[in-house]
Amino acid sequence: MSPQWSRIAQLAFGFTFACMWSAQASAYDFHNCSDDEIDKIAGAAAVAETVMRIAEADLNSIEDGGDATRFETYLGSPATSERTEHVRQMLYAIWQGSMANAAYYCNRACPGGANAFSEQGSALGNQKTYPVYLCERFMDDDELNTYDRAATLIHEYLHHYGAWDPDFIPEDWDEWARDLAETSPNTAISSAWNLQFYIDQ
């Protein structure tokens, strides 16, 4: 297990998913956000919580011998207990850290039409809050719905724990993630796009 995964496991140790989902993510911290923007963030965070519950249920099913198609499509095969546990620990860490201690900064100017950005690996240090910088497009693009914004938040939460993005923009992120899962599953399992697509399907 890599040092990064060991740190994530350490952060998650001693907690059960049920206990964490019963808690409220009470430490939201908003900067330069209007009431309407806070409502959009809170709505997206609620949807993010729901899809993470569903991903946890999928992991449980896999460990009980159920269908692993969703996992293997985006995170590669085989869906061993070690690999599913890595993903479970990331889910635990997102809830315990990112969702519970996020600091949201609204209306940031972002290059390349991005929805948001964050500080990669910020949760692996000693920071008390983990910044998520939300771009104007996140708030103002009429083509984005609450589900789309939830997917963006999940993606940024994953960066807090070291998940990476490629240094180029493919024509189709979903196709790129599927190809990576097929050709390099051990790389896919630490990709923010692959983890996001697995979680939010």
Side-chain angles (χ1 to χ4, degrees):
M1 183 180 292
S2 71
Q4 174 183 316
W5 282 111
S6 297
R7 174 60 174 152
I8 292 169
Q10 179 185 10
L11 289 169
F13 182 75
F15 291 83
T16 66
F17 211 72
C19 288
M20 283 182 284
W21 290 125
S22 67
Q24 294 294 319
S26 59
Y28 290 140
D29 190 10
F30 301 98
H31 301 267
N32 196 35
C33 302
S34 69
D35 289 345
D36 179 63
E37 289 167 341
I38 290 172
D39 286 344
K40 287 181 179 179
I41 297 166
V47 172
E49 176 181 335
T50 297
V51 298
M52 283 194 280
R53 286 177 184 263
I54 296 170
E56 167 68 359
D58 186 66
L59 292 171
N60 290 340
S61 175
I62 293 170
E63 292 179 359
D64 289 339
D67 182 41
T69 299
R70 170 177 167 172
F71 185 98
E72 293 181 346
T73 296
Y74 289 107
L75 300 174
S77 61
T80 62
S81 58
E82 181 180 7
R83 300 182 80 240
T84 57
E85 184 61 21
H86 278 174
V87 178
R88 187 189 304 278
Q89 289 171 4
M90 183 66 89
L91 287 172
Y92 287 176
I94 287 171
W95 175 255
Q96 182 186 350
S98 293
M99 289 196 71
N101 298 289
Y104 298 100
Y105 295 81
C106 294
N107 295 314
R108 308 293 288 198
C110 303
N115 291 343
F117 63 97
S118 55
E119 297 176 11
Q120 186 173 18
S122 60
L124 301 177
N126 296 317
Q127 292 183 216
K128 292 183 179 180
T129 60
Y130 313 138
V132 177
Y133 302 100
L134 300 172
C135 307
E136 293 177 359
R137 183 171 183 266
F138 181 93
M139 297 298 181
D140 299 335
D141 192 333
D142 292 336
E143 294 185 0
L144 297 181
N145 57 33
T146 301
Y147 182 86
D148 297 325
R149 292 186 178 94
T152 295
L153 292 185
I154 290 168
H155 191 94
E156 301 311 323
Y157 297 154
L158 289 163
H159 282 316
H160 290 157
Y161 287 90
W164 60 278
D165 280 345
D167 57 4
F168 60 91
I169 300 177
E171 291 186 10
D172 186 316
W173 281 109
D174 186 274
E175 182 179 348
W176 174 85
R178 289 170 182 259
D179 288 345
L180 183 65
E182 182 176 355
T183 59
S184 187
N186 289 336
T187 303
I189 206 167
S190 62
S191 156
W193 283 103
N194 290 71
L195 287 162
Q196 174 200 318
F197 285 137
Y198 169 70
I199 292 168
D200 71 13
Q201 291 303 303

